[in-house]
Amino acid sequence: QVQVVESGGGLVQAGGSLRLSCASSGLTFSSYTMGWFRQTPGKEREFVAAMTWSGNNQYYSDSVKGRFFISRDNAKNTVYLQMNNLKPEDTAVYYCAAASGRTPPASREYAYDYWGQGTQVAVTS
């Protein structure tokens, strides 16, 4: 049984930092592209960041580029999202997801096979 579990969300002031973690089990983690998405009430889920299975390629949405950084530790089956200089508009539920295949379209929800339950991030001004 595949499990994808996010952690690390919380409440932070604007300008602060948080690091989200996503632990996976039941899959060959090192073969999966891992992505982060986020969603606010009334809006569609949007792509945030992704990293390919090898770690050689990283992708970011324009809204987080230069502030958020994705990394992975294949030995720990874990992907991270370091979020710096947080803004109130970053407030959302953040989801981790795993995509199989060597070159999935990393920014597309349909590419992902497994999803976590999400972790809430709230940024106050």
Side-chain angles (χ1 to χ4, degrees):
Q1 181 181 359
V2 175
Q3 288 192 316
V4 178
V5 181
E6 306 93 339
S7 62
L11 180 66
V12 64
Q13 287 189 329
S17 298
L18 278 177
R19 188 176 82 154
L20 305 183
S21 299
C22 170
S24 301
S25 61
L27 51 75
T28 306
F29 181 80
S30 58
S31 298
Y32 281 75
T33 288
M34 298 301 296
W36 288 95
F37 291 75
R38 66 187 182 186
Q39 188 172 26
T40 55
K43 293 187 177 181
E44 293 187 354
R45 191 154 50 187
E46 66 171 354
F47 170 74
V48 175
M51 176 175 275
T52 53
W53 62 274
S54 64
N56 289 339
N57 295 298
Q58 301 162 34
Y59 307 93
Y60 297 94
S61 68
D62 288 342
S63 62
V64 307
K65 198 171 295 181
R67 300 187 298 122
F68 290 13
F69 300 94
I70 188 171
S71 61
R72 65 189 295 160
D73 185 338
N74 286 347
K76 295 183 178 180
N77 288 3
T78 300
V79 63
Y80 305 96
L81 184 68
Q82 178 66 44
M83 305 186 295
N84 300 326
N85 190 21
L86 282 159
K87 303 176 181 180
E89 51 263 43
D90 294 318
T91 295
V93 176
Y94 283 72
Y95 297 91
C96 176
S100 61
R102 294 189 66 83
T103 56
S107 66
R108 305 296 186 184
E109 284 191 61
Y110 66 76
Y112 291 83
D113 306 289
Y114 304 105
W115 292 82
Q117 293 300 306
T119 185
Q120 176 72 53
V121 171
V123 184
T124 60
S125 57

